[in-house]
Amino acid sequence: MLTWLMENMATIIISAVLVLVVAAIIVSMVRSKRKGKSSCGCGCAGCAMNGACHPAKPETMGK
């Protein structure tokens, strides 16, 4: 078992680093989504799909 670990140490380390990077990206995306930020990072004003991902909120009648 120890020889297998030593033979594959580079693969194990690279895989662990990649898993950590992907996890960090996912956590960042979830936090941004919870804060209501856009996922593309450029804002919604000029986006052709802004009506699809952020539908207009209904007006309140009794203001």
Side-chain angles (χ1 to χ4, degrees):
M1 175 87 164
L2 187 58
T3 57
W4 181 84
L5 284 174
M6 294 304 291
E7 289 173 355
N8 295 305
M9 188 61 67
T11 303
I12 293 169
I13 291 172
I14 291 171
S15 297
V17 169
L18 288 175
V19 166
L20 289 174
V21 168
V22 169
I25 291 170
I26 291 172
V27 167
S28 173
M29 290 174 69
V30 168
R31 286 183 180 168
S32 293
K33 182 72 173 173
R34 285 185 182 165
K35 289 180 181 178
K37 293 185 178 179
S38 174
S39 61
C40 66
C42 61
C44 295
C47 180
M49 293 297 292
N50 75 356
C53 65
H54 299 289
K57 294 179 181 163
E59 295 286 330
T60 55
M61 297 192 71
K63 286 189 179 181

